[in-house]
Amino acid sequence: MRKKHPFRHALLATVGTVSGIVLLLTLKPTTDPSRAQAEPATTSGATGSVSPSASAHPSSASPSPSKTPEEKRPPSASSSPSSSSSSTSTQPPQTAPAAPTRAGSAPSAPKTTSAAPTTRTLTGSTVETKYGPVQVRITLTGSRITEASALRYPDGTARSRDINSTAVPRLNQETLQAQSADIDTVSGATYTSAGYRQSLQSALDRAGV
């Protein structure tokens, strides 16, 4: 009779146990009932969580109903005065443009012309000489002597008339050339020339020349 080894029995028991576990695993259904019950809950939870996000996509794609009325809504009456007042305060006051003036209607400035010189006639005092009185008259245009003549000169005798007929015109001519009483004495008419110079000087004094 053979001896039974205890190691062999243990090995056979171990092999049998492993074979049974493997058989149970192969025969075990693929879907665990407890897991199957948990999966619907997870699926429903996932569906519930996805559903709001899925519904949020159309809402985000479509314009928000709350913003559309605000954008299309015209400005209220209360905001209109404030905006108009702000625009009125910020904008500078506009002044009306000045009416255009016609250049032709404006009167042209008068041309300044120098005043014409004044013409004056002055008569000198009468100067008594040995052969008769002498008196001179002159005409001044401005301060210039333009004419000289003897109103009175000695003519009581024929000789006096003969001498003075040539002496007086000469004295007149010298007066225009000298423009003063500084004239020469005419030869042969010494008394007439002296009286002529005195009367001429008095006329110039009256003219202020």
Side-chain angles (χ1 to χ4, degrees):
M1 191 171 179
R2 295 179 181 179
K3 289 182 179 181
K4 296 181 180 181
H5 298 282
F7 181 75
R8 185 179 181 181
H9 285 289
L11 181 61
L12 291 176
T14 302
V15 171
T17 303
V18 171
S19 301
I21 292 173
V22 171
L23 182 61
L24 287 174
L25 292 174
T26 55
L27 294 177
K28 188 177 181 180
T30 57
T31 59
D32 191 0
S34 62
R35 188 176 180 181
Q37 291 178 1
E39 286 179 357
T42 305
T43 306
S44 63
T47 306
S49 62
V50 172
S51 167
S53 62
S55 63
H57 287 294
S59 64
S60 62
S62 61
S64 175
S66 63
K67 293 182 178 180
T68 304
E70 293 179 358
E71 295 176 356
K72 294 183 179 181
R73 186 181 303 167
S76 61
S78 62
S79 64
S80 175
S82 62
S83 63
S84 63
S85 63
S86 63
S87 63
T88 304
S89 61
T90 56
Q91 292 181 355
Q94 297 180 356
T95 58
T101 58
R102 295 182 180 178
S105 61
S108 59
K111 295 181 179 180
T112 57
T113 56
S114 58
T118 306
T119 301
R120 298 172 294 168
T121 301
L122 297 103
T123 303
S125 60
T126 302
V127 178
E128 294 293 337
T129 67
K130 181 179 179 180
Y131 297 98
V134 178
Q135 188 177 20
V136 179
R137 184 176 65 184
I138 59 174
T139 301
L140 293 172
T141 301
S143 60
R144 183 175 180 79
I145 303 173
T146 57
E147 185 178 354
S149 60
L151 297 180
R152 299 175 66 181
Y153 55 89
D155 58 353
T157 62
R159 182 175 175 78
S160 297
R161 289 192 296 269
D162 184 39
I163 294 173
N164 290 326
S165 62
T166 57
V168 170
R170 187 174 176 180
L171 293 171
N172 295 336
Q173 186 66 29
E174 289 184 0
T175 301
L176 296 179
Q177 292 178 358
Q179 292 291 312
S180 66
D182 188 12
I183 57 177
D184 295 333
T185 300
V186 178
S187 178
T190 304
Y191 294 100
T192 301
S193 298
Y196 189 99
R197 283 194 298 266
Q198 294 179 16
S199 180
L200 175 60
Q201 186 60 52
S202 66
L204 293 173
D205 292 341
R206 291 177 182 177
V209 178

